[in-house]
Amino acid sequence: MRVAIIGTGLIGASLGLAFRRAESVRTVVGHDADNANLATALTKGALDSATTNLTDAAENADVVVLAVPPSVIERVAEAVVPHMADGAVLTDVGSVKGEVVAAMERAVAGSNVHVVGGHPMAGSHEHGPETAMADMFVGATWLLTPTASTDQAALDRMTALVADVGAQPVVVDPKAHDLLVAVISHVPQLTATTLMTLAAERARKEDARLLLLAGGGFRDATRVAASNPEMWLQICQENSEAIVQVLDEYAARIGQLRMMLHDFDSERLSTMLTDAREARNAMPGKGGVSGQLVELRVVIPDAPGAIADITSTVSSLGINIEDIGIDHAPDGKRGQMRLAVNGFEAAEKAHEALGANGYEVLERAS
Ligand SMILES: NC(=O)c1ccc[n+]([C@@H]2O[C@H](COP(=O)([O-])OP(=O)(O)OC[C@H]3O[C@@H](n4cnc5c(N)ncnc54)[C@H](O)[C@@H]3O)[C@@H](O)[C@H]2O)c1
Ligand SMILES: O=C(O)C(=O)C[C@]1(C(=O)O)C=C[C@@H](O)C=C1
């Protein structure tokens, strides 16, 4: 299969790297309006070939993936469709679907090109091809958003392609998609933004040391506040209706929480904290992991080879690291590495081996 990727930024280049390892993909051609991003994607090995001409990229492609910002999807779709092969599939990776899918369907009207909207639930707060990763979609959910007019064979083709890059395809209606992601992606981003702004302003006005005090909790809760503002402005604009609906509910819940604290209603507060804890612990982990994920927190010095020593100690036991992250201490001299492994037995073994190598380890179900 020949695939064209339009927009070789973070998601487009990651997809190119993943496609080039996928069995069903023979050739990956890329185009980007920014020549530097196109060249970086090519150098990173995300593309078999690159072209600065948009319509050349779409020529003879079996699948064209639009990995551009949501606001330009319609314009780019209109430009590529007349050049696409008979029966080809036009898809996208945009974070919003209702309006975007409708725009792509308008662009294919009268042609024999089939639209299947898509949205990988994986990414990062970074942007651009420099931080692209071949494994970005492994184990991630990939939402596919057919409509009443979607061709079943095109949906089947996209389902197989998504599975071929290691993701889990999930079919959902475009409007329903927008409300779902408002809850689990868009409002969380705005919450992180609000929290970060609050802390940064207090640090500026009251105590400059405030942000130095931040531990893993604040860092985890605000990571996505470092995302690309231009992209989020577009996401907010395109999904404002659903976001406002969820923000209203969120604001009402914050109001209830405030009242519980004001009146110190320990019973209701305790119920809320307990329910949230249970829901968080029951959250499905990384796709493909059938057992209980257990997190090991390992204190690491800021020294060459420390990360490699920890990961090789665990992998030499034949234990797969399912997830990994590092929280840096504000002084930059130490940090905590978070490793998730599958099951308590594996966690015990890894814990013991790391302890024997002199590392301080904390273990908990994740
Ligand atoms: N970043 C994430 O975590 C994430 C996750 C899932 C989906 N998405 C979606 O993926 C899409 C791309 O996001 P990204 O994070 O890769 O952004 P990015 O900024 O890294 O990449 C976008 C690329 O599109 C290019 N581009 C812009 N206008 C263009 C045009 N008219 N023609 C050709 N190329 C053009 C840019 O030069 C850039 O290289 C967006 O629709 C976003 O909503 C992002
Ligand atoms: O930063 C990350 O880890 C993300 O995966 C980003 C994230 C998300 O909210 O989950 C952000 C927007 C995209 O549409 C999909 C993914």
Side-chain angles (χ1 to χ4, degrees):
M1 175 186 327
R2 181 180 168 88
V3 179
I5 299 174
I6 313 298
T8 57
L10 173 70
I11 300 297
S14 298
L15 201 46
L17 290 166
F19 279 153
R20 291 196 73 208
R21 295 199 313 201
E23 272 182 22
S24 60
V25 178
R26 188 174 39 87
T27 315
V28 183
V29 55
H31 164 79
D32 198 292
D34 179 328
N35 288 346
N37 281 1
L38 186 62
T40 304
L42 187 66
T43 311
K44 275 195 83 138
L47 309 170
D48 290 296
S49 65
T51 169
T52 53
N53 186 313
L54 172 61
T55 55
D56 282 357
E59 216 73 56
N60 293 324
D62 300 297
V63 175
V64 172
V65 184
L66 306 182
V68 292
S71 66
V72 299
I73 288 181
E74 178 158 24
R75 186 154 45 87
V76 176
E78 282 167 359
V80 292
V81 168
H83 300 268
M84 290 171 64
D86 205 37
V89 176
L90 176 69
T91 189
D92 76 312
V93 294
S95 305
V96 188
K97 293 271 71 80
E99 215 2 80
V100 164
V101 172
M104 289 196 295
E105 287 190 336
R106 283 195 295 275
V108 301
S111 76
N112 192 27
V113 170
H114 307 292
V115 168
V116 182
H119 180 196
M121 290 311 297
S124 115
H125 52 278
E126 310 277 2
H127 64 104
E130 292 80 6
T131 50
M133 287 185 313
D135 284 334
M136 180 172 281
F137 311 106
V138 175
T141 302
W142 194 302
L143 298 163
L144 292 173
T145 59
T147 64
S149 59
T150 300
D151 178 73
Q152 185 59 43
L155 178 60
D156 292 345
R157 204 184 314 174
M158 277 311 298
T159 305
L161 188 58
V162 161
D164 216 2
V165 297
Q168 297 186 340
V170 172
V171 169
V172 61
D173 164 81
K175 273 267 167 227
H177 164 279
D178 289 352
L179 196 53
L180 292 171
V181 295
V183 179
I184 47 89
S185 177
H186 302 174
V187 168
Q189 209 288 343
L190 297 173
T191 305
T193 295
T194 310
L195 202 52
M196 193 65 238
T197 311
L198 183 148
E201 276 181 13
R202 285 206 167 216
R204 203 167 50 245
K205 289 186 191 150
E206 291 164 25
D207 190 337
R209 294 169 304 178
L210 182 69
L211 295 175
L212 291 174
L213 310 178
F218 184 80
R219 285 171 196 276
D220 283 352
T222 56
R223 178 181 63 83
V224 291
S227 305
N228 181 3
E230 271 176 51
M231 187 76 71
W232 277 98
L233 196 60
Q234 292 183 23
I235 293 171
C236 288
Q237 184 176 6
E238 305 248 348
N239 202 25
S240 61
E241 202 182 312
I243 295 174
V244 166
Q245 189 181 328
V246 179
L247 271 181
D248 283 346
E249 189 183 331
Y250 187 62
R253 282 173 188 267
I254 293 278
Q256 286 163 9
L257 185 60
R258 188 194 167 282
M259 283 309 289
M260 287 177 214
L261 284 158
H262 181 268
D263 306 339
F264 205 70
D265 185 340
S266 69
E267 203 176 311
R268 284 182 70 206
L269 188 55
S270 166
T271 305
M272 189 171 176
L273 292 167
T274 309
D275 289 353
R277 180 177 193 259
E278 274 171 16
R280 181 65 177 81
N281 287 341
M283 231 175 113
K286 179 187 156 193
V289 178
S290 50
Q292 161 83 62
L293 276 187
V294 183
E295 185 176 90
L296 298 172
R297 286 188 163 256
V298 189
V299 177
I300 47 165
D302 181 28
I307 294 175
D309 188 42
I310 293 169
T311 55
S312 61
T313 301
V314 176
S315 51
S316 68
L317 301 167
I319 296 170
N320 190 37
I321 297 172
E322 306 292 350
D323 205 356
I324 195 164
I326 296 181
D327 295 328
H328 298 278
D331 66 8
K333 297 196 177 82
R334 286 152 302 126
Q336 271 197 9
M337 183 184 259
R338 290 177 273 118
L339 300 173
V341 299
N342 192 1
F344 287 99
E345 201 183 319
E348 282 309 319
K349 274 203 220 161
H351 191 156
E352 211 176 290
L354 289 165
N357 282 8
Y359 292 104
E360 196 186 319
V361 184
L362 217 89
E363 183 180 322
R364 65 175 193 202
S366 84

